[in-house]
């Protein structure tokens, strides 16, 4: 089963760059996250990352009108045709150049791509089965500089293209006689967006300096005339007409039209545009660069985003301001509006923010932001429902694993967070930071209720809490000491010294009160918390220790060292039981500016984070590389290697040097490629001070900073340069039978159910291990016979039964039925299960997580219903009762009335409001 982990979700990063899109129903936002795409379902409060990735960061996303297909184009010009229904890649394509925008026609038959200073129109895929999904129809020339934006008319007859040369071009999608192309000027800066009016060729153009031009066309869309073919095309058409009429009409049309390039024609009888008005967003003397715009045709609503983080809502064509709001102090990169025109999505790439704003009620539908810098650490809650992450930006965020959203952010730390952990109850988070504090946060009231400090200011590099939640320990990076505090009183209990180098890791034994600390002084020390904080053992290592962790049963200790080894120790006898050499498995990549090969640079790389699996049989290791390795502890062999990213926009991804970037003058990677971009830094002649010279574009290096297995054993999480990656067991496509023989078939299972031999049917279903059959067998058992069937289950099948019940709670609506099964199985087999507590712990925790989630949901609903019923009863009793007249200003009477109205009736003293 350890081989079946697959990428399931990406948390911690909600938006990187590229354009946002709403789905057709308007309930979901599609957001590019690095080289992946995340779909945020706003109605059901869930986020899901598609299990596919491009080679570089995604630059633009084009969505088909029916919402079934999407075209993802990355910075290198590679395109993926993706089915959003089956969440898979249908086709790969390369545009051979940087693409700025992609747009499907409203009828779904064509799509246009702006690349360089040209626009290319392709036949849209998905209409029929075809070998090549991207067939080029026409190429349009005209603009002199890069093209930036596209917009189509409602009837798909024409489209407009904006350019950085301050011009907008209107092109005909067909060979129109009176409209081949039309160029519009009137702006003094690059065009950011252009929009057609509904059912018209009238046009709005918006430029970067905050100017809006309104253009009126003298011809309606119905007035466009198809151009009659001439020359060889006419002969070809005549020949085709004389032939058989069985030919496909679409093919003949394509053959007739061929490629259309704009040619200068006579002006008589052609479409003409005139400028009606010009408006300015910026006030007199104020300059704010306009960065994104979107227009909703039905409501005539124009939304514009600016570099200062402000966005405006205007009603066109009167250009009346509805409202203006500042959502961030960073540049708004992308704006989108849903079909109904109610929700506006805003993306800020500087801070990685994604906001969905309902402009009529002036409220947030969604407000999410990842860590500004990289994440440093993570921890799972004991039931596996929540993940807490700490980042270099000093923020502590708590994520819900089911919805994928962050629901609380703590900002009390003033420097980078180095370690996070949950207490055993799951309601307290303890964090350490470089600001010299260790803080405890309460998940009931969402507040920082304890702050632990040291006598002298010191930087804390790691934190640990014992299994009782009473003792908090943190390791210092500069004073080489360990600090012990009491959670109850907040007092410093002891300062433990002995290490001669910075403390790199701390871990409490889950079973005993023993603390293990690893240090750069090549030792791991074991401290006895019960016996006056003495050092019981000192484990000598061959290199600096980077991470330490206990096995879930506390009987083994694993240490990662600087020479890329993982050593295993028996903490009772202080004896080394094994080691794993991991340098060859790390396979670190070569950075762009490295002078040495990847093979030589790998000698300095090591595992920096370790984590045991929930059953303790495997260990997960990651470090300064794109690989996460999972090893079998007893056999000391590599079980599987996970490649966490294939994004070449990150550094140290490639194994060999890219020779195309090497010139006789040096490496092209030294040149700031983004200096010419809108938000890039222009570095002019020496001695000329302009712009922020300290700011540089850099490629972040791929690395894994922290790894944790879920207590349920079903998934594991990694904090990486890309964000928080979740890998979970993919059980859908896995056929994993148990003691299978020829007598076990689906037919025989159903025959046993018909004969009401439920125990035999259930055992056969477990041996076949097919989920649908198992569910059918289990749900066929009458509630009255559940106790009898569960008591006749052999011990071998009880573990499988608990795992199946836990996974069924996630998807099934038969809550009481499965709760009854759980109660009977645990009651009948409880004593025997206690003897195997260590082995069964992941399954039981998975079950607890599922039951707890339903308890939270149902209890909230019950409390709300109970409150409503009490309120209705109290209100009905008050109706028709004359109130005694009280003198004005009598506070006691008013208070008494309010208590009488909201309080429970007589005999209801146990109510929640009593």
């Amino acid at each position: 089963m350890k081989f079946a982990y697959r990428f399931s979700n990406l948390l911690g990063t909600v938006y990187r760059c590229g354009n946002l899109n709403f789905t057709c129903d308007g309930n979901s936002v599609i957001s590019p996250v690095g080289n992946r795409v995340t779909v945020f379902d706003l109605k059901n409060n869930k986020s899901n990352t598609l299990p596919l990735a491009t080679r570089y960061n995604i630059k633009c996303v084009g969505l088909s009108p029916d919402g079934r297909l999407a075209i993802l184009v990355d910075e290198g010009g590679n395109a993926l045709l993706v089915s959003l229904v089956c969440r898979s890649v249908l086709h790969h394509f390369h545009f051979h150049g940087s693409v700025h925008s992609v747009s499907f026609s409203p009828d779904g038959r064509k799509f246009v791509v702006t690349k360089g200073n040209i626009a290319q129109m392709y036949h849209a895929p998905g209409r029929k089965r075809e070998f090549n999904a991207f067939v080029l129809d026409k190429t349009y020339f005209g603009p002199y500089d890069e093209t930036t934006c596209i917009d189509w008319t409602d009837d798909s007859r024409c489209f407009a293209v904006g350019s950085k040369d301050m011009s907008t071009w209107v092109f005909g999608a067909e060979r129109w006689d009176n409209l081949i192309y039309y160029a519009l000027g009137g702006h003094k800066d690059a065009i950011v967006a252009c929009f057609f009016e509904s059912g018209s060729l009238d046009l709005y153009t918006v430029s970067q300096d905050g100017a809006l031009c309104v253009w009126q066309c003298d011809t309606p869309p119905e007035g466009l005339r198809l151009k009659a073919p001439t020359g060889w095309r006419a002969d070809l058409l005549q020949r085709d007409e004389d032939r058989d009429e069985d030919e496909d009409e679409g093919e003949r049309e394509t053959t007739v039209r061929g490629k259309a390039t704009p040619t200068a024609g006579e002006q008589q009888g052609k479409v003409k545009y005139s400028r009606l008005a010009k408006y300015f967003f910026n006030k007199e003397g104020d300059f704010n660069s306009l960065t994104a715009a979107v227009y909703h045709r039905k409501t005539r609503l124009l939304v514009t985003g600016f570099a200062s983080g402000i966005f405006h809502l205007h009603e066109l064509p009167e250009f009346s301001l509805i409202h203006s709001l500042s959502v961030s102090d960073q540049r708004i990169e992308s704006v989108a509006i849903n079909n109904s025109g109610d929700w506006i999505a805003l993306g800020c790439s500087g801070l990685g923010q994604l906001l969905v704003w309902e402009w009529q009620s002036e409220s947030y539908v969604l407000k999410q932001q990842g860590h500004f810098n990289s994440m440093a650490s993570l921890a799972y809650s004991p039931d596996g429902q929540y993940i807490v992450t700490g980042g270099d930006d000093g923020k502590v965020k708590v994520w819900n694993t089911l919805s994928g959203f962050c629901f609380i952010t703590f900002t009390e730390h003033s420097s980078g967070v180095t370690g996070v952990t949950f207490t055993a109850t799951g309601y307290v988070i303890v964090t350490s930071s470089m600001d010299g504090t260790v803080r405890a946060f309460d998940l009931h009231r969402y507040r920082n209720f304890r702050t632990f400090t040291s006598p002298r200011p010191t930087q804390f590099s790691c934190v640990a809490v014992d299994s009782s939640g009473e003792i908090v320990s943190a390791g210092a990076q500069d004073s080489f000491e360990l600090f012990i505090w009491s959670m109850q009183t907040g007092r410093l209990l002891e300062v433990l010294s002995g290490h001669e180098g910075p403390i790199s890791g701390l871990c409490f034994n889950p079973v005993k009160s023993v603390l293990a600390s690893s240090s750069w002084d090549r030792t791991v020390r074991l401290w006895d918390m019960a016996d006056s904080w003495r050092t019981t053992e000192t484990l000598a290592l061959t290199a600096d220790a980077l991470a330490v962790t206990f096995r879930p049963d506390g009987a083994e200790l694993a240490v990662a060292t600087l020479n890329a080894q993982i050593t295993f120790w028996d903490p009772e006898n202080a004896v080394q039981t094994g080691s794993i050499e991991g340098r060859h498995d790390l396979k670190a990549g070569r950075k762009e500016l490295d002078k040495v090969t990847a093979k030589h640079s790998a000698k300095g790389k090591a595992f920096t984070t370790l984590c045991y699996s929930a059953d303790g049989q495997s260990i997960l290791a990651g470090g300064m590389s794109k690989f996460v390795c999972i090893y079998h502890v007893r056999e000391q062999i590599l079980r599987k290697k996970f490649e966490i990213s294939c994004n070449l926009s990150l550094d140290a991804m490639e194994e060999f040097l890219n020779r195309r970037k090497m010139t006789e003058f040096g490496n092209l990677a030294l040149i700031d490629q983004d200096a010419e971009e809108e938000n890039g830094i222009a570095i002019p002649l020496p001695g000329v001070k302009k712009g922020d010279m300290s700011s540089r574009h850099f490629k972040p290096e791929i690395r894994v900073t922290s790894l944790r297995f879920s207590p349920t054993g079903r998934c594991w999480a990694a904090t990486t340069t890309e964000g928080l990656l979740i890998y979970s067991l993919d059980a859908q496509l896995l056929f994993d039978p148990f003691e299978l023989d020829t007598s076990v078939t689906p037919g025989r299972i159903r025959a046993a159910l018909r004969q009401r031999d439920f125990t035999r049917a259930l055992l056969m279903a477990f041996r076949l291990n097919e989920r649908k059959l198992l569910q059918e067998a289990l749900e066929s058992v009458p509630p009255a016979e559940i106790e009898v069937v569960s008591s006749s289950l052999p011990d071998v099948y009880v573990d499988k039964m608990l795992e199946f019940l836990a996974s069924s709670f996630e998807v099934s609506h038969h809550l009481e039925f499965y709760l009854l099964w759980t109660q009977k199985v645990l009651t009948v087999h409880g004593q025997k299960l206690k003897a195997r507590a260590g082995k069964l712990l992941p399954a039981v925790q998975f079950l607890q997580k599922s039951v707890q989630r339903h308890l939270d949901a149902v209890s909230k609903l019950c409390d709300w219903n109970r409150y409503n019923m009490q309120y209705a009863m109290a209100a009905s009793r008050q109706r028709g009762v004359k109130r005694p007249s009280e003198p004005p200003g009598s506070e006691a009477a008013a208070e008494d009335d309010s208590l009488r109205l909201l309080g429970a009736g007589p005999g209801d003293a146990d109510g929640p409001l009593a």
Side-chain angles (χ1 to χ4, degrees):
M1 287 293 281
K2 294 292 177 294
F3 299 95
Y5 288 101
R6 297 273 177 90
F7 171 80
S8 68
N9 210 353
L10 170 64
L11 313 183
T13 314
V14 290
Y15 176 75
R16 278 277 168 86
C17 58
N19 61 312
L20 299 168
N21 285 277
F22 273 97
T23 52
C24 294
D25 57 4
N27 295 335
S28 302
V29 179
I30 298 174
S31 171
V33 183
N35 68 331
R36 298 182 185 272
V37 169
T38 303
V39 181
F40 294 95
D41 188 345
L42 304 174
K43 285 280 185 187
N44 300 316
N45 194 34
K46 279 196 175 181
S47 75
N48 213 318
T49 306
L50 302 184
L52 47 95
T54 55
R55 293 188 67 201
Y56 294 90
N57 284 338
I58 293 172
K59 196 170 184 183
C60 52
V61 178
L63 200 63
S64 66
D66 58 2
R68 292 171 175 271
L69 298 175
I71 295 174
L72 316 178
V73 189
D74 64 18
E75 291 167 347
N78 300 291
L80 297 182
L81 177 65
V82 175
S83 167
L84 295 177
V85 179
C86 58
R87 296 155 52 86
S88 59
V89 178
L90 304 179
H91 188 68
H92 292 260
F93 190 75
H94 201 295
F95 283 112
H96 301 290
S98 180
V99 172
H100 197 282
S101 55
V102 182
S103 180
F104 275 86
S105 63
D107 61 4
R109 294 179 60 189
K110 303 281 175 71
F111 70 89
V112 172
V113 170
T114 57
K115 182 183 76 172
N117 65 336
I118 61 171
Q120 291 182 323
M121 186 162 71
Y122 288 82
H123 290 287
R127 292 277 164 181
K128 58 181 188 295
R129 288 192 177 185
E130 52 211 339
F131 177 70
N132 183 12
F134 288 68
V135 180
L136 181 63
D137 186 19
K138 298 181 183 72
T139 302
Y140 297 90
F141 295 88
Y144 292 98
D145 206 341
E146 280 187 36
T147 45
T148 56
C149 55
I150 313 164
D151 193 53
W152 286 83
T153 54
D154 284 338
D155 52 9
S156 306
R157 294 181 177 213
C158 304
F159 64 92
V161 174
S163 169
K164 285 186 180 175
D165 66 1
M166 302 175 278
S167 65
T168 308
W169 294 71
V170 182
F171 292 111
E174 317 282 349
R175 288 182 60 83
W176 303 117
D177 186 29
N178 50 347
L179 177 60
I180 298 173
Y181 68 89
Y182 200 100
L184 301 167
H187 284 282
K188 295 180 181 178
D189 209 339
I191 306 297
V192 172
C194 51
F195 311 106
F196 280 104
E197 188 55 272
S198 180
S200 166
L201 291 177
D202 294 351
L203 195 65
Y204 300 105
T205 55
V206 184
S207 62
Q208 198 173 331
D209 59 355
L212 168 75
C213 285
V214 183
W215 303 90
Q216 187 179 30
C217 182
D218 64 349
T219 310
E222 299 80 27
L224 297 174
R225 305 184 301 275
L226 267 176
K227 189 173 185 179
T230 56
W232 62 272
R233 287 195 182 86
D235 298 340
L236 187 63
L237 185 62
Q238 187 63 38
R239 208 178 309 148
D240 283 352
E241 281 178 358
D242 294 341
R243 274 194 203 156
D244 226 350
E245 291 293 323
D246 296 336
E247 255 187 53
D248 186 27
E249 190 185 339
E251 281 182 25
R252 186 193 302 164
E253 262 189 305
T254 307
T255 311
V256 169
R257 290 179 198 153
K259 287 187 179 180
T261 53
T263 56
E266 298 176 3
Q267 291 302 314
Q268 288 89 10
K270 302 290 183 184
V271 167
K272 287 184 182 175
Y273 275 92
S274 57
R275 193 173 80 187
L276 281 184
K278 188 172 184 180
Y279 301 106
F280 296 95
F281 291 96
N282 295 320
K283 293 173 185 172
E284 198 69 39
D286 174 34
F287 183 76
N288 196 356
S289 182
L290 192 146
T291 54
V294 69
Y295 178 60
H296 192 257
R297 289 177 187 167
K298 290 176 190 171
T299 55
R300 296 192 164 191
L301 194 70
L302 177 69
V303 186
T304 48
F306 292 86
S308 60
I310 295 172
F311 78 93
H312 296 319
L313 266 76
H314 285 88
E315 192 173 5
L316 296 182
E318 295 83 14
F319 197 67
S320 52
L321 181 67
I322 296 172
H323 77 208
S324 171
L325 188 75
S326 175
V327 292
S328 170
D329 56 355
Q330 296 283 325
R331 166 193 176 95
I332 294 177
E333 199 76 32
S334 179
V335 179
I337 192 163
N338 71 344
N339 281 352
S340 61
D342 297 328
W343 292 349
I344 297 163
L346 305 155
C348 305
S349 61
L351 292 172
Q353 289 176 315
L354 177 64
L355 309 159
V356 179
W357 173 260
E358 188 171 29
W359 64 274
Q360 288 170 331
S361 63
E362 298 192 11
S363 59
Y364 286 110
V365 178
L366 171 73
K367 190 179 182 182
Q368 289 284 303
Q369 181 183 341
H371 287 281
F372 175 57
N373 292 327
S374 60
M375 296 183 190
S377 54
L378 86 134
Y380 266 100
S381 64
D383 59 359
Q385 278 200 63
Y386 306 121
I387 297 175
V388 60
T389 58
D392 291 341
D393 56 357
K395 290 180 181 175
V396 177
K397 289 178 175 283
V398 189
W399 307 84
N400 189 323
T401 54
L402 291 170
S403 70
F405 285 120
C406 167
F407 62 91
I408 184 67
T409 302
F410 298 107
T411 57
E412 277 80 3
H413 283 296
S414 56
S415 186
V417 177
T418 54
V420 292
T421 185
F422 272 95
T423 58
T425 59
Y427 295 114
V428 175
I429 296 167
V430 182
T431 63
S432 62
S433 171
M434 290 294 208
D435 63 2
T437 62
V438 172
R439 294 176 185 270
F441 300 96
D442 180 12
L443 282 186
H444 280 308
R445 295 187 179 88
Y446 300 128
R447 63 189 178 96
N448 174 208
F449 70 95
R450 284 274 185 278
T451 302
F452 309 101
T453 55
S454 54
R456 291 186 307 277
T458 184
Q459 293 181 322
F460 294 116
S461 57
C462 47
V463 69
V465 180
D466 76 331
S467 53
S468 67
E470 291 297 319
I471 297 174
V472 178
S473 173
Q477 195 166 0
D478 41 11
S479 65
F480 316 152
E481 294 170 328
L482 284 136
F483 296 87
I484 311 290
W485 296 275
S486 165
M487 179 73 86
Q488 286 286 339
T489 61
R491 287 177 54 199
L492 181 66
L493 300 177
E494 191 69 46
V495 179
L496 307 178
S497 54
H499 279 296
E500 298 168 7
I503 314 293
S504 58
L506 288 176
C507 188
F508 272 98
N509 190 319
V511 181
K512 299 177 182 175
S513 58
V514 172
L515 173 68
S517 62
S518 61
S519 170
W520 291 7
D521 62 1
R522 301 190 174 190
T523 61
V524 169
R525 291 175 181 264
L526 301 177
W527 311 83
D528 193 347
M529 298 287 108
D531 189 11
S532 66
W533 326 100
R534 282 190 309 113
T535 309
T536 57
E537 296 291 350
T538 302
L539 312 179
L541 305 168
T542 55
D544 299 7
L546 301 179
V548 63
T549 183
F550 273 102
R551 203 165 71 186
D553 61 358
E556 190 176 68
L557 185 75
V559 185
T561 52
L562 194 59
N563 57 0
Q565 280 190 348
I566 303 171
T567 53
F568 299 97
W569 298 78
D570 177 5
E572 282 292 315
N573 306 313
V575 176
Q576 184 174 338
T577 57
S579 70
I580 293 171
E581 180 65 53
R583 178 159 290 149
H584 298 296
D585 302 325
L586 259 175
K587 270 198 176 174
R590 179 170 183 164
K591 292 188 199 174
E592 284 188 335
L593 301 175
D594 273 355
K595 303 291 186 190
V596 294
T597 61
K599 191 175 180 181
H600 285 289
S601 68
K603 291 178 182 176
K605 303 287 193 271
F607 293 120
T608 55
T609 174
L610 291 177
C611 176
Y612 273 98
S613 62
D615 56 5
Q617 293 181 7
S618 306
I619 194 163
L620 211 55
M624 298 181 71
S625 124
K626 63 179 177 178
F627 292 107
V628 168
C629 304
I630 186 164
Y631 293 97
H632 193 284
V633 175
R634 191 179 300 163
E635 304 292 336
Q636 294 173 10
I637 56 169
L638 179 69
R639 278 188 153 180
K640 190 169 182 181
K641 197 155 65 168
F642 299 93
E643 187 179 6
I644 56 168
S645 177
C646 60
N647 189 358
L648 297 179
S649 295
L650 301 173
D651 210 355
M653 285 296 296
E654 297 186 87
E655 196 172 343
F656 301 104
L657 186 68
N658 189 349
R659 295 285 174 191
R660 284 174 292 187
K661 290 189 177 176
M662 295 303 293
T663 66
E664 57 183 314
F665 305 108
N667 196 338
L668 286 176
L670 289 164
I671 300 170
D672 190 2
Q673 298 284 355
D674 297 326
E676 299 301 319
E677 293 289 325
E678 306 89 30
N679 54 344
I681 297 95
I683 303 174
L685 294 170
V688 179
K689 288 188 177 180
K690 185 183 177 185
D692 183 7
M693 297 296 286
S694 65
S695 181
R696 287 289 183 276
H697 287 267
F698 68 98
K699 289 177 78 170
E701 185 185 346
I702 183 71
R703 63 174 63 189
V704 180
T705 52
S706 185
L707 286 167
R708 288 293 178 270
F709 242 100
S710 169
T712 63
R714 307 284 300 176
C715 51
W716 55 270
T719 52
T720 68
T721 313
E722 287 201 308
L724 176 60
L725 299 170
I726 310 283
Y727 283 77
S728 58
L729 282 177
D730 183 22
Q732 281 78 30
L733 306 172
L734 197 68
F735 178 61
D736 185 22
F738 176 70
E739 295 181 359
L740 190 64
D741 58 28
T742 52
S743 63
V744 180
T745 62
R748 294 200 176 187
I749 293 171
R750 292 191 175 98
L753 287 175
R754 284 194 293 274
Q755 293 165 12
R756 299 181 67 79
D757 191 351
F758 299 115
T759 307
R760 189 163 65 91
L762 206 55
L763 293 181
M764 283 198 293
F766 272 120
R767 289 172 68 179
L768 196 60
N769 209 1
E770 280 283 340
R771 181 171 179 81
K772 291 277 177 68
L773 272 172
L774 201 49
Q775 184 179 345
E776 185 182 336
L778 198 71
E779 291 181 358
S780 302
V781 180
E785 296 189 30
I786 288 177
E787 190 168 1
V788 179
V789 175
S790 59
S791 61
S792 57
L793 276 177
D795 293 348
V796 186
Y797 294 96
V798 174
D799 312 4
K800 294 184 176 296
M801 172 63 88
L802 289 174
E803 280 186 21
F804 178 75
L805 288 172
S807 59
S808 298
F809 275 118
E810 300 279 325
V811 291
S812 178
H813 298 294
H814 306 301
L815 185 57
E816 188 186 0
F817 181 78
Y818 281 105
L819 281 172
L820 199 59
W821 262 107
T822 307
Q823 184 194 16
K824 298 300 180 190
V825 168
L826 292 175
T827 308
V828 172
H829 298 275
Q831 291 300 322
K832 292 177 183 175
L833 293 176
K834 271 186 183 177
R836 294 181 293 138
K839 190 181 174 186
L840 282 172
L841 191 62
V844 174
Q845 284 180 324
F846 186 29
L847 190 64
Q848 182 195 353
K849 171 190 170 184
S850 305
V851 174
Q852 183 68 38
R853 186 170 66 86
H854 282 294
L855 173 66
D856 293 345
V858 174
S859 60
K860 279 180 188 173
L861 185 66
C862 291
D863 286 347
W864 178 244
N865 288 344
R866 196 170 170 187
Y867 168 76
N868 280 340
M869 287 163 65
Q870 285 181 358
Y871 181 80
M873 288 166 63
S876 65
R877 283 198 294 269
Q878 291 291 326
R879 190 173 294 165
V881 177
K882 287 185 179 179
R883 299 192 179 190
S885 57
E886 295 287 340
S890 173
E891 292 180 9
E895 198 175 313
D896 185 49
D897 277 351
S898 62
L899 284 172
R900 197 182 303 131
L901 179 66
L902 288 172
D908 280 347
D910 59 339
L913 295 167

